[in-house]
Amino acid sequence: MMKKICFITTVPVTFETFILETAKYLNKNMDIQIHFISSFEKNMDKNLPRYIKYHPIDMRRGTDIKAIYSIYQIYQILKKEKFDMVQYTTPNAALYSSIASYFIKVPIRLYCQWGIRYVGFENKKRVLFKLFEKITCKYSTHIRAASKKNLEFAISEKLYSNTKGKLIGEGGTIGVDLSLFNIAKKNTYNKDIRKKFKITNEFVFGFIGRLSIDKGAIELLEAFKEISKQIITAKLFIIGNLEINTCINKDLIEWAKNNKNIIFIEQIKREELVKYYSIFDCFVHPTYREGFGMVLQEAGAMGCPIITTDIPGAGEVMINGESCLLIKSKDTEELKRGMKEIIFNHNKRINLSREAFKRTKEKFCRKKMLKNQLADYIDLLNKE
């Protein structure tokens, strides 16, 4: 008998980046009907495969007074379609969907906990968002954590029991497509990007993601500011959303914008992004909180030496001292020391590069991760 699954995310880009390949794989290997709910995006229905039915609703990021209406819209769709399983991720979509699907009694309510938002908050804000997380977990029948430490943290915080939560494989989402992130093309891509930006032998640091406080923007810019005084030719590529968090010192932002050695690039498609990984002599990811770090897996696939923080998620993708350098979060001095070590220790850099690629290939290959997910979906649906 054909099963019906609905995937729900707050914004379409999350579905396209982290779930679409899973949906395609399920369609290929199961007798299944697939639906997708998120906020509206023009032409989204045309961009999706025909076998995925798209339901756009009014749903936004951040705290929103229209949350109740979003829950009602999801409720109406779920009630009409009668799904065997609903899967949701991202904070708002997960909260709204867990509530709506609970009251309809969808048999399988799967929460993909790819990050725990309140970890980066303090005081009343932390209390409030922990409450939201508890509600989401309570109303879900099954939870898939992003990493082992995130799973252990959630259980220790009493968000859910160890019988409800589970880790698939080594963690993460859909892994890395090694046919796209093809290390054999690294030298060619490296030459092309260096030519494009008129860079010769300069040492290049790379950062990919939102330039915000919880991604370590302050520490990144302050550390590079000090390093660039000593190594005046060092470069820093910042790729991603440039909506700067207003809490970051304005003078620091102005310095970065006016520095010829810092290159800001808007978000680009993954087909182009892979080329930029190829130019990074060191990938820097000083985040405060993380699900599992897709960018770390992608950097590893392209053989980038990696610096990231010793926190749940980010600190589990690679192995400290072997395939990455782990530093304390919110520590500019330690980040600076790590960046200098990568610059001046050539052998260390080569070893980190080799081992990062090796670990990514063995643990986070997309084909392997999709097979693991398929087995989990089949198990869940058979239990139902």
Side-chain angles (χ1 to χ4, degrees), residues 281-348:
D281 296 301
C282 178
F283 182 72
V284 188
H285 187 65
T287 183
Y288 294 2
R289 63 179 179 89
E290 195 70 31
F292 198 66
M294 174 69 82
V295 290
L296 295 173
Q297 297 166 58
E298 292 172 348
M302 297 307 292
C304 295
I306 294 167
I307 298 174
T308 189
T309 45
D310 190 9
I311 61 170
E316 299 173 79
V317 180
M318 299 295 166
I319 299 173
N320 187 32
E322 183 178 313
S323 48
C324 76
L325 290 184
L326 292 183
I327 62 167
K328 293 179 183 178
S329 66
K330 307 180 184 181
D331 193 325
T332 301
E333 287 302 313
E334 194 165 326
L335 175 58
K336 186 169 63 177
R337 284 195 294 271
M339 292 168 76
K340 285 184 176 180
E341 182 177 357
I342 297 292
I343 292 176
F344 295 117
N345 192 333
H346 179 264
N347 289 335
K348 184 82 168 181

Side-chain angles (χ1 to χ4, degrees), residues 46-139:
K46 297 177 182 177
N47 295 331
L48 290 173
R50 289 184 178 180
Y51 53 79
I52 300 178
K53 185 175 180 180
Y54 172 48
H55 303 270
I57 67 168
D58 186 7
M59 180 163 47
R60 305 171 190 179
R61 282 175 166 163
T63 51
D64 186 4
I65 198 170
K66 292 185 177 181
I68 295 175
Y69 182 54
S70 299
I71 294 170
Y72 174 73
Q73 288 181 291
I74 295 171
Y75 177 91
Q76 289 292 95
I77 295 169
L78 301 187
K79 184 178 180 181
K80 177 183 177 182
E81 297 292 343
K82 296 180 173 56
F83 294 105
D84 298 288
M85 175 178 172
V86 172
Q87 174 184 311
Y88 36 84
T89 190
T90 65
N92 285 6
L95 177 63
Y96 306 162
S97 304
S98 64
I99 295 170
S101 59
Y102 171 79
F103 283 104
I104 294 176
K105 300 302 179 187
V106 176
I108 301 172
R109 305 184 294 276
L110 178 61
Y111 174 31
C112 289
Q113 192 183 46
W114 293 340
I116 302 175
R117 191 180 183 190
Y118 73 81
V119 170
F121 299 152
E122 296 178 350
N123 304 321
K124 291 181 180 179
K125 190 174 183 181
R126 183 184 177 93
V127 172
L128 177 63
F129 281 86
K130 183 176 180 178
L131 174 62
F132 291 159
E133 192 70 20
K134 279 191 170 184
I135 292 170
T136 301
C137 295
K138 179 181 179 180
Y139 288 159

Side-chain angles (χ1 to χ4, degrees), residues 266-280:
E266 295 285 352
Q267 286 182 326
I268 51 180
K269 291 183 178 180
R270 262 175 166 66
E271 291 77 8
E272 287 298 311
L273 187 61
V274 62
K275 298 178 181 179
Y276 286 88
Y277 280 107
S278 300
I279 198 178
F280 298 159

Side-chain angles (χ1 to χ4, degrees), residues 229-244:
K229 292 177 182 177
Q230 185 176 351
I231 308 164
I232 60 174
T233 58
K235 303 285 186 183
L236 171 62
F237 275 70
I238 296 176
I239 302 175
N241 193 331
L242 301 183
E243 292 180 8
I244 309 300

Side-chain angles (χ1 to χ4, degrees), residues 10 49 68 78-79 130 144 148 153 213 231 252 259 295 322 354 366:
T10 307
I68 295 175
L78 301 187
K79 184 178 180 181
K130 183 176 180 178
R144 298 296 177 256
K148 183 179 179 181
F153 174 80
I213 285 181
I231 308 164
L252 185 61
N259 191 315
V295 290
E322 183 178 313
R354 182 183 62 248
R366 178 162 296 172

